[in-house]
Amino acid sequence: SYKPGAPTTTEGFSLLPVNHNSFGLATAGNPLPGMGMGPPPPPGMDDHLAKIDIEVNESLVGAVLGPSGRSIVEIQQYSGANIQISKKGSYSPGTRNRVVSITGPNKSCTTAQFLIEQRVAEEEIKRKNSTASQLNLGF
């Protein structure tokens, strides 16, 4: 006889009850595909976890964050690294630079570092050019 929520059997095989409230999240009886399955990836340079700290001037942190944090999210998604920026007022000793910490696989960290440094350089060029054009126009 069938009881709702009770484990069901099919031809002698016991099945775990299905959790219909999980919204695609893994549950004990219903792990996500690929979790805990298959051999781990072979050791290589990419799986070594790394942490890179770079300093970004307080005035340029906005270029790394982007509007509503969009830029930092894009860099994290593209690189696969996790990026944390020190809180406002928390600087690298003796400077007005915020500390940007990048963690993740080696390759992800170096990609994120490159993208952050590129954003900072682009912002510096943009500011330099706008200052120069203001001087030329007599503002």
Side-chain angles (χ1 to χ4, degrees):
S1 69
Y2 173 75
K3 293 180 196 144
T8 56
T9 56
T10 307
E11 299 172 27
F13 292 103
S14 176
L15 300 175
L16 291 166
V18 176
N19 180 354
H20 293 288
N21 299 323
S22 65
F23 299 105
L25 299 174
T27 57
N30 184 25
L32 287 172
M35 284 183 69
M37 299 167 77
M45 289 309 289
D46 277 356
D47 349 296
H48 293 316
L49 292 179
K51 181 176 194 275
I52 301 172
D53 284 345
I54 56 177
E55 293 182 18
V56 176
N57 190 282
E58 171 75 24
S59 66
L60 295 165
V61 165
V64 176
L65 288 168
S68 305
R70 207 171 306 135
S71 296
I72 197 168
V73 169
E74 284 173 3
I75 293 171
Q76 288 182 109
Q77 287 175 343
Y78 182 80
S79 68
N82 182 31
I83 303 167
Q84 297 287 318
I85 300 177
S86 65
K87 290 183 173 30
K88 197 176 180 81
S90 176
Y91 305 117
S92 180
T95 69
R96 294 274 294 168
N97 296 338
R98 305 261 287 274
V99 178
V100 178
S101 298
I102 307 165
T103 52
N106 250 337
K107 194 174 180 183
S108 297
C109 287
T110 53
T111 301
Q113 180 181 10
F114 172 78
L115 293 169
I116 289 168
E117 289 172 350
Q118 190 178 39
R119 287 273 159 94
V120 169
E122 285 170 2
E123 185 63 22
E124 285 174 327
I125 290 167
K126 200 187 299 179
R127 290 182 187 187
K128 193 172 141 188
N129 288 343
S130 73
T131 306
S133 65
Q134 286 174 357
L135 292 173
N136 292 340
L137 296 172
F139 287 110

